[in-house]
Amino acid sequence: MGAIGQWLPPGAGGSLLRSVGFFGGSAAAGAVLTLSLRSALGLAAVLAARRAPATTGPAGPRPVGPAGEPALTG
């Protein structure tokens, strides 16, 4: 289970701190790579969520007639 934890941000952060603090940065590349990839994926997810168009407005979807035009309601 410890090997899986090293691929998660808290485990990678702890490994990075240990590598830099006690071992002069040796073997820090894996932790830096893990944290960089996780940060890039998180940023990409946030940007993708911002660009996703809203499918409905505040009042919900508007009714559409058979020709694709807004339906006459009233």
Side-chain angles (χ1 to χ4, degrees), residues 30-54:
V32 170
L33 179 65
T34 299
L35 292 171
S36 299
L37 287 175
R38 298 284 294 216
S39 297
L41 289 174
L43 181 61
V46 168
L47 293 176
R50 284 181 114 193
R51 291 184 183 160

Side-chain angles (χ1 to χ4, degrees), residues 4-62:
I4 295 172
Q6 297 303 311
W7 292 102
L8 298 174
S15 292
L16 181 62
L17 285 173
R18 229 179 354 267
S19 295
V20 171
F22 295 116
F23 303 110
S26 64
V32 170
L33 179 65
T34 299
L35 292 171
S36 299
L37 287 175
R38 298 284 294 216
S39 297
L41 289 174
L43 181 61
V46 168
L47 293 176
R50 284 181 114 193
R51 291 184 183 160
T55 56
T56 60
R62 294 179 19 202

